[in-house]
Amino acid sequence: VSGEPAPLTRAERKRAEQAEELRTEIIDAAFIEFAENGYHQTTISDIATRLSISSGTFYNYFKNKRDIVDYVIDRLTSQLLAALAADNPADVASTAAEYHEQSKRIAGAVDAVLDADWRVPRMLLFEATSIDAAMTQRVLEIFDLARQAASAYLQNGVRRGFLRDDIDIGATADAITGLMISVAVRSLSSRLDSDARRRQRETVIELLMNGITARR
Amino acid sequence: VSGEPAPLTRAERKRAEQAEELRTEIIDAAFIEFAENGYHQTTISDIATRLSISSGTFYNYFKNKRDIVDYVIDRLTSQLLAALAADNPADVASTAAEYHEQSKRIAGAVDAVLDADWRVPRMLLFEATSIDAAMTQRVLEIFDLARQAASAYLQNGVRRGFLRDDIDIGATADAITGLMISVAVRSLSSRLDSDARRRQRETVIELLMNGITARR
Amino acid sequence: VSGEPAPLTRAERKRAEQAEELRTEIIDAAFIEFAENGYHQTTISDIATRLSISSGTFYNYFKNKRDIVDYVIDRLTSQLLAALAADNPADVASTAAEYHEQSKRIAGAVDAVLDADWRVPRMLLFEATSIDAAMTQRVLEIFDLARQAASAYLQNGVRRGFLRDDIDIGATADAITGLMISVAVRSLSSRLDSDARRRQRETVIELLMNGITARR
Amino acid sequence: VSGEPAPLTRAERKRAEQAEELRTEIIDAAFIEFAENGYHQTTISDIATRLSISSGTFYNYFKNKRDIVDYVIDRLTSQLLAALAADNPADVASTAAEYHEQSKRIAGAVDAVLDADWRVPRMLLFEATSIDAAMTQRVLEIFDLARQAASAYLQNGVRRGFLRDDIDIGATADAITGLMISVAVRSLSSRLDSDARRRQRETVIELLMNGITARR
DNA sequence: GATGAATGAGTCTTCATTCAT
DNA sequence: AATGAATGAAGACTCATTCAT
């Protein structure tokens, strides 16, 4: 027995690539349909027809309709984790100004991920919770991820002294997550352009930093 | 044909009351099922069985399955409008402190409406968007209502000088709406008790007023 | 709470009767189709079409296609038990002649049950084993029933001394069961008339009693 | 075009042998699956997977799924004919004792054929009748073969005077066939070992020869 | 000859809705 | 007004078979 799997021949490699390509096309087609008509209103045959493939072919690539959503959540989760973690360690900011900058950077990175295919967050926010309890759970877990990240950043700020030491970190992290989601929902509802989205992000961050009360 | 409807007899009145009662019971049963299993997973027969009525009777009270959601959105919208408008004219606050108090009052009133039957906001947030585009629109209109209300309050504060005059009112109203929704989602996800919800509301309002930045 | 279920009204009784009637018609239609085209080749829609009902109606009466077979096996098993046990206690025969008579009586009773709807044994013998393992098990259990009955009768005969005391009761009971089944298969394959079936039964019983060897 | 097929080269002969070998492996794999899961529950892909070949290859060796059963019935029929006819001409026995010996010999030969691959008779008895009418017919023809053979042996015995001259040869041949089948079913249901099978055969033959009635 | 992806016809099954009683 | 059986359109999913590589 060999410890290595047999290396792929050229033909096998090509076939595998084409398979991966079709898989991606199916995901895209599915999400276009989901976005246009909703998950429950979309049939496998709608997806297949859009690609001019047969409905049976769908099942060569995904176990069932639900499976495609699972697959995409996996992908999105890792993309978000990458965007968050990448070059943004929680403890890098040492002043409010640096924190402000970092927040804008992270918000921009998250926005970039979500904007790359806006149908994915749309699906997650508007439809996933209606698929079944397990899927709802998966979405809530993504929110939890955001909450934990926000907590870590807040803790750093409080420790360093540039954030108020009387804030309730948990509740504030919740609020920040909520703000992020609401910005996302807003973008999705009205399909803002990238500039409008940037302005909205910055307004929200500024609001978060300084509140709305007038200073004398 | 008579120009006037005949006045109701006692028996007719009683019958009408019973009908209204059953209509309410159907709504309640439906929302319990929707909350437990989701809109799409709930059948008319599930709802009927819960009430020991026949599925046919459902259709004497509602045009179809979707209709019951419409009906509830109508009810919720007017309840929210009542809670918001009632004793909270936008121009009543003249200091930041009064504004703070007013905000807590309004948030409490909204919470009371939502908490009276938490299944209703759950439905709206988690399922309505998956029913169809029109239903999604209706939910977004409720959000719009909140946005408009928030705008009015913010405008008053800026005009009176107790809120910063450099805030972007539209974006800030969006943010406030987002915060409200996220507080609601959080409550629904983890079923917080009334005290925990109050604390969360107040944290968020305080955050909104003063931001998270430490003051020297 | 009352110990009694509410008595049925006249209307309810009528409805229940009609339901039972349709249920029977569905069974009959199903078995006609099974007999003509085989279980696997028969679709629910074939059955429904034959009765001019919709395919959905089938599912108001049976859980699925397999369920109808289960239902019929239940019915057949109790009919066979009734036919066997009824007036044929194992110990009633005290001479070979009485035993011979009893055998013919029992064989006749079993034949009457099977002939009442020959499609049922056809189904069981020719198709049930192909449905699934559980169904095969159910059929084998019926054979076991026959084996046990045959054993009891043989034991009585050996004890009373009118049957050979050197026979292997288990193997002989197996053989008798096999003979019964083969007579049934033969009938089903060529649709013998009632007279031919009686002759066949008697030949087999005579053979069983005396063997084929010539006596000097 | 040449009038003669070109003689096979060594390489061609080898290839043909390998092809024949794979064909046999496919049959074996198919019957293992059929025995485990039933004909209808077995997919071509199940068979292919078991052999680590592709499903397409199956179709290079068999016209379709049903074809493999036909093929096996052909093979079994000729094996049974060989076993029966080989060294057992119908007129060889001239005494009851010789007849008894011959019966045991034939039964043993048949058993050897069936036992060589018990999945084949299992398939025929339990599944073939559910494939389609033509397949059922083929199985019944095999039974007919048995019936004809039994008739011939009985006739010889009656003519020679060592079998009773009052037996109904047709019905008795039927009964003998039924006994053979029932012995087979019994073996298949409980997977008896070769010794138990031999004992069962001999019991049945003895029963057939002498009946169960006690002789004074 | 081998491969396995693509095909699409074929079925079961569900369920919102209707309507005769 | 209540009932609940009947309806049948709709859709997910399977799998024998084909065929380009």
Side-chain angles (χ1 to χ4, degrees):
Chain A
V1 293
S2 99
E4 300 276 297
L8 298 179
T9 67
R10 177 192 302 278
E12 281 168 340
R13 221 170 324 117
K14 180 152 174 224
R15 200 181 280 182
E17 268 163 35
Q18 283 177 336
E20 203 45 49
E21 196 179 322
L22 180 49
R23 173 185 286 271
T24 305
E25 286 182 66
I26 292 174
I27 292 174
D28 289 343
F31 273 77
I32 290 172
E33 292 289 333
F34 291 162
E36 280 179 8
N37 305 315
Y39 176 83
H40 290 280
Q41 284 72 40
T42 298
T43 68
I44 299 298
S45 146
D46 289 336
I47 299 170
T49 302
R50 174 173 283 272
L51 290 174
S52 307
I53 62 175
S54 76
S55 66
T57 298
F58 176 90
Y59 289 92
N60 287 339
Y61 290 85
F62 296 95
K63 208 164 70 257
N64 50 40
K65 202 165 101 176
R66 191 185 182 291
D67 190 37
I68 206 170
V69 181
D70 261 331
Y71 190 92
V72 167
I73 292 191
D74 284 345
R75 202 177 57 179
L76 181 71
T77 306
S78 53
Q79 286 173 344
L80 284 177
L81 280 174
L84 274 172
D87 28 39
N88 289 298
D91 55 3
V92 85
S94 58
T95 66
E98 282 174 21
Y99 184 85
H100 198 142
E101 280 313 306
Q102 186 183 37
S103 298
K104 290 202 282 190
R105 213 162 50 237
I106 293 175
V110 169
D111 178 71
V113 168
L114 300 185
D115 188 55
D117 188 352
W118 60 270
R119 288 178 185 98
V120 172
R122 202 209 95 89
M123 175 79 212
L124 259 51
L125 289 171
F126 286 6
E127 310 266 359
T129 49
S130 79
I131 296 177
D132 61 30
M135 196 62 86
T136 302
Q137 196 48 40
R138 295 209 63 186
V139 174
L140 294 179
E141 275 162 16
I142 293 185
F143 293 171
D144 224 59
L145 223 70
R147 202 142 46 212
Q148 285 168 25
S151 275
Y153 289 97
L154 289 173
Q155 260 159 357
N156 174 58
V158 172
R159 192 157 34 76
R160 298 284 189 98
F162 61 80
L163 295 186
R164 291 166 52 185
D165 58 6
D166 62 341
I167 60 176
D168 175 331
I169 288 189
T172 306
D174 278 354
I176 291 174
T177 308
L179 281 173
M180 292 172 63
I181 294 170
S182 65
V183 169
V185 170
R186 186 83 176 97
S187 302
L188 291 169
S189 310
S190 26
R191 309 287 312 105
L192 302 179
D193 67 26
S194 108
D195 220 52
R197 291 203 311 279
R198 187 180 44 68
R199 255 182 293 117
Q200 174 127 39
R201 290 200 302 275
E202 297 186 351
T203 299
V204 166
I205 291 171
E206 220 284 322
L207 173 69
L208 184 67
M209 297 297 292
N210 296 317
I212 60 177
T213 311
R215 315 267 163 228
R216 82 242 53 96
Chain B
V1 291
S2 94
E4 298 277 293
L8 299 180
T9 65
R10 178 192 302 276
E12 282 168 342
R13 223 174 316 120
K14 183 152 171 223
R15 210 178 300 149
E17 270 163 32
Q18 284 177 335
E20 201 48 43
E21 198 178 320
L22 180 49
R23 173 187 287 270
T24 306
E25 286 183 70
I26 292 174
I27 292 174
D28 289 343
F31 274 76
I32 291 173
E33 292 290 334
F34 291 162
E36 280 178 8
N37 305 115
Y39 176 82
H40 290 280
Q41 284 71 40
T42 298
T43 68
I44 299 296
S45 146
D46 289 335
I47 299 169
T49 302
R50 175 173 281 270
L51 291 175
S52 308
I53 62 173
S54 76
S55 64
T57 299
F58 178 92
Y59 287 90
N60 286 336
Y61 291 85
F62 297 95
K63 202 162 75 253
N64 52 39
K65 188 173 154 185
R66 189 186 181 289
D67 187 38
I68 205 169
V69 182
D70 262 333
Y71 191 94
V72 167
I73 292 191
D74 285 344
R75 201 177 59 177
L76 180 72
T77 307
S78 53
Q79 286 172 342
L80 284 176
L81 280 175
L84 276 172
D87 28 40
N88 289 297
D91 56 3
V92 86
S94 58
T95 66
E98 281 174 19
Y99 184 86
H100 199 145
E101 280 312 305
Q102 186 185 35
S103 299
K104 291 203 281 192
R105 216 162 48 237
I106 293 175
V110 169
D111 178 72
V113 168
L114 300 185
D115 188 54
D117 189 350
W118 60 269
R119 288 178 185 98
V120 172
R122 196 204 167 284
M123 176 76 212
L124 258 49
L125 289 170
F126 285 5
E127 309 268 357
T129 49
S130 79
I131 296 177
D132 59 30
M135 195 64 85
T136 303
Q137 198 46 41
R138 296 209 62 186
V139 173
L140 294 179
E141 275 162 16
I142 293 185
F143 293 172
D144 225 59
L145 220 68
R147 203 140 47 209
Q148 284 168 26
S151 276
Y153 290 95
L154 288 173
Q155 260 157 358
N156 175 58
V158 172
R159 190 155 35 75
R160 298 284 189 97
F162 61 80
L163 294 187
R164 292 166 50 186
D165 57 7
D166 62 340
I167 60 177
D168 173 333
I169 289 191
T172 308
D174 277 353
I176 292 175
T177 308
L179 281 173
M180 290 172 65
I181 295 169
S182 66
V183 169
V185 170
R186 186 83 175 98
S187 300
L188 292 169
S189 310
S190 23
R191 309 288 310 108
L192 303 179
D193 67 25
S194 105
D195 222 52
R197 291 202 311 276
R198 188 180 44 68
R199 255 180 294 117
Q200 174 124 38
R201 288 199 304 274
E202 297 186 352
T203 298
V204 167
I205 291 172
E206 220 283 323
L207 172 70
L208 183 67
M209 297 298 291
N210 298 314
I212 59 176
T213 312
R215 313 271 162 224
R216 83 247 56 110
Chain C
V1 294
S2 96
E4 301 274 294
L8 298 179
T9 66
R10 178 193 302 275
E12 281 168 341
R13 220 170 323 118
K14 183 158 171 217
R15 199 180 280 180
E17 268 163 33
Q18 282 176 339
E20 202 46 47
E21 197 179 320
L22 179 49
R23 174 185 286 270
T24 306
E25 285 183 65
I26 292 174
I27 292 174
D28 289 343
F31 273 76
I32 290 172
E33 292 290 332
F34 292 162
E36 280 179 8
N37 305 111
Y39 176 84
H40 290 280
Q41 284 70 40
T42 298
T43 69
I44 299 298
S45 146
D46 290 335
I47 299 169
T49 301
R50 173 173 283 270
L51 290 175
S52 307
I53 61 174
S54 77
S55 66
T57 297
F58 177 91
Y59 289 92
N60 286 338
Y61 291 84
F62 295 95
K63 208 162 72 257
N64 50 39
K65 201 164 99 176
R66 190 185 183 291
D67 189 38
I68 208 170
V69 182
D70 260 332
Y71 190 94
V72 167
I73 292 191
D74 285 345
R75 202 177 57 177
L76 181 71
T77 307
S78 52
Q79 287 172 343
L80 285 176
L81 280 175
L84 275 172
D87 27 39
N88 290 297
D91 56 2
V92 83
S94 58
T95 67
E98 280 173 20
Y99 184 86
H100 199 143
E101 279 313 303
Q102 186 184 37
S103 299
K104 290 202 281 192
R105 215 163 48 236
I106 293 176
V110 168
D111 177 72
V113 168
L114 299 185
D115 186 55
D117 190 351
W118 60 271
R119 290 181 184 94
V120 171
R122 203 209 92 89
M123 174 78 212
L124 258 51
L125 288 171
F126 285 6
E127 310 266 358
T129 48
S130 79
I131 296 179
D132 62 30
M135 195 63 86
T136 301
Q137 197 47 42
R138 295 208 64 185
V139 174
L140 294 179
E141 276 162 14
I142 294 185
F143 293 171
D144 225 59
L145 220 70
R147 202 142 46 212
Q148 284 167 26
S151 276
Y153 289 96
L154 289 172
Q155 261 157 356
N156 175 60
V158 171
R159 191 157 33 78
R160 299 285 189 97
F162 62 79
L163 295 186
R164 290 165 51 185
D165 58 7
D166 62 340
I167 60 178
D168 173 333
I169 287 188
T172 307
D174 277 354
I176 292 174
T177 308
L179 281 173
M180 290 171 65
I181 295 170
S182 65
V183 168
V185 170
R186 185 82 177 97
S187 300
L188 293 169
S189 311
S190 27
R191 309 292 309 107
L192 302 180
D193 67 24
S194 107
D195 220 53
R197 291 203 311 279
R198 187 179 45 69
R199 255 179 295 116
Q200 175 125 37
R201 289 200 303 275
E202 297 186 354
T203 299
V204 167
I205 291 171
E206 219 283 324
L207 171 70
L208 182 67
M209 296 297 291
N210 297 316
I212 60 178
T213 312
R215 312 273 162 222
R216 85 251 50 113
Chain D
V1 292
S2 93
E4 296 277 294
L8 298 179
T9 67
R10 177 193 303 275
E12 282 168 341
R13 224 176 316 119
K14 180 149 175 229
R15 209 178 301 149
E17 269 163 33
Q18 283 177 335
E20 201 47 46
E21 197 178 322
L22 181 47
R23 173 187 287 270
T24 306
E25 285 183 71
I26 292 174
I27 292 174
D28 288 344
F31 273 77
I32 290 173
E33 291 290 333
F34 292 162
E36 280 178 8
N37 304 115
Y39 176 82
H40 291 279
Q41 284 72 41
T42 298
T43 68
I44 299 297
S45 148
D46 288 335
I47 299 169
T49 301
R50 174 173 281 271
L51 290 176
S52 308
I53 62 173
S54 75
S55 64
T57 299
F58 177 92
Y59 287 90
N60 286 336
Y61 291 85
F62 296 95
K63 202 163 75 257
N64 51 37
K65 188 173 155 186
R66 188 185 182 291
D67 188 38
I68 205 169
V69 182
D70 262 333
Y71 191 93
V72 168
I73 292 190
D74 286 345
R75 198 178 59 178
L76 181 72
T77 307
S78 53
Q79 286 173 342
L80 284 176
L81 281 175
L84 275 172
D87 28 40
N88 288 297
D91 56 3
V92 85
S94 58
T95 66
E98 281 174 21
Y99 184 85
H100 198 146
E101 279 314 304
Q102 185 184 37
S103 299
K104 290 203 281 191
R105 214 163 49 237
I106 293 175
V110 169
D111 178 71
V113 169
L114 300 185
D115 188 53
D117 189 350
W118 59 271
R119 289 179 184 96
V120 172
R122 196 206 166 283
M123 176 76 211
L124 259 51
L125 288 171
F126 286 4
E127 311 267 355
T129 49
S130 79
I131 295 177
D132 60 30
M135 196 63 85
T136 302
Q137 197 47 42
R138 295 209 62 187
V139 174
L140 294 179
E141 276 161 15
I142 293 184
F143 293 171
D144 225 60
L145 221 70
R147 203 141 45 209
Q148 286 167 23
S151 275
Y153 289 95
L154 289 173
Q155 261 157 357
N156 174 59
V158 172
R159 193 159 31 80
R160 299 283 190 98
F162 61 80
L163 294 186
R164 290 166 52 185
D165 57 7
D166 61 342
I167 59 177
D168 173 333
I169 288 190
T172 306
D174 278 352
I176 291 174
T177 308
L179 280 173
M180 291 172 64
I181 294 170
S182 66
V183 168
V185 170
R186 186 85 177 97
S187 301
L188 291 169
S189 310
S190 26
R191 309 288 311 105
L192 302 179
D193 66 26
S194 105
D195 220 53
R197 291 203 309 279
R198 187 182 43 70
R199 254 180 294 119
Q200 176 129 40
R201 289 199 304 275
E202 297 185 352
T203 299
V204 167
I205 291 171
E206 219 283 323
L207 173 70
L208 184 67
M209 298 297 292
N210 297 316
I212 59 178
T213 311
R215 315 267 163 226
R216 82 240 51 102

